[in-house]
Amino acid sequence: MTEQPTPDEKRNAVARVLFAILRAVLTVVIVFDEIARPLYRPLIDWVASLRIVARMEAVIARQSRLAILALLAVPFVIAEPLKLLGLLMMADGRFRTGLVVFAFAHLVSFLLVERIYHAGREKLLTYGWLNWLMTLLDRLRRRALDWARSSAAYAFAIRARDAARAWWRGLRA
């Protein structure tokens, strides 16, 4: 006769499955970011190098920390729900429209939220709660990256990325 699994064994099995799913999702997101970064990073660097952006950052940096927080909150409150809306639209079968909404929301995040945060970071981190939250998020991000990067799927994706880059360089040479 076989013994029935105990509730603890059932919970452990469910936890293992959930963690495997989480790891797969994180790996896909991180691999996508690794692939997309060479595409969006030059855009962010170019925008950051514009004279008007440098002036706006200087204006933002001179504001009070509460004003900077409000300036940061406005595009963040708009962009984050748009990302979810884009994902929902893609899941609902409106892939192209959802992708455009999702990409636009990321662009707003990259260009506005990142620049505002960069300009006011020093003052924003004087809020103890925000400093604690950003430290926690950075720690969690690093752990998630390390966890996903230790997977076989990530190693395979990086090998495929490197092979694609080498192939592309060979075509251009």
Side-chain angles (χ1 to χ4, degrees):
M1 256 196 207
T2 60
E3 290 183 32
Q4 294 293 322
T6 66
D8 284 342
E9 290 172 336
K10 287 180 184 177
R11 252 180 287 173
N12 287 341
V14 170
R16 281 194 303 275
V17 168
L18 290 175
F19 276 117
I21 292 169
L22 176 63
R23 188 175 198 161
V25 169
L26 283 174
T27 299
V28 168
V29 168
I30 291 168
V31 167
F32 177 75
D33 184 60
E34 292 284 335
I35 292 168
R37 185 177 295 128
L39 302 174
Y40 70 76
R41 196 74 225 170
L43 175 65
I44 292 171
D45 292 343
W46 174 74
V47 168
S49 73
L50 295 174
R51 194 181 259 168
I52 190 167
V53 172
R55 287 183 187 148
M56 291 305 297
E57 286 182 6
V59 168
I60 292 167
R62 287 192 299 269
Q63 304 304 309
S64 70
R65 67 185 190 160
L66 183 59
I68 296 169
L69 186 61
L71 285 170
L72 183 67
V74 171
F76 187 81
V77 166
I78 293 168
E80 294 309 309
L82 278 177
K83 289 177 187 177
L84 286 174
L85 177 64
L87 289 173
L88 289 172
M89 292 171 84
M90 286 188 272
D92 191 40
R94 296 174 285 168
F95 187 80
R96 286 186 198 148
T97 306
L99 186 61
V100 168
V101 169
F102 188 74
F104 173 75
H106 271 283
L107 189 64
V108 167
S109 287
F110 291 145
L111 297 180
L112 289 177
V113 174
E114 196 241 347
R115 292 287 72 187
I116 294 168
Y117 181 75
H118 175 75
R121 183 177 189 275
E122 190 175 307
K123 287 183 181 176
L124 287 170
L125 293 181
T126 63
Y127 283 115
W129 62 270
L130 186 59
N131 193 341
W132 175 84
L133 180 64
M134 295 308 291
T135 302
L136 175 67
L137 289 174
D138 184 55
R139 194 175 326 126
L140 290 173
R141 180 184 161 278
R142 276 190 264 121
R143 279 188 186 167
L145 286 171
D146 291 345
W147 188 46
R149 287 177 175 161
S150 69
S151 71
Y154 183 83
F156 172 77
I158 295 305
R159 285 192 306 272
R161 179 202 67 187
D162 293 345
R165 283 181 177 170
W167 174 79
W168 181 252
R169 285 187 193 112
L171 287 178
R172 292 181 22 201

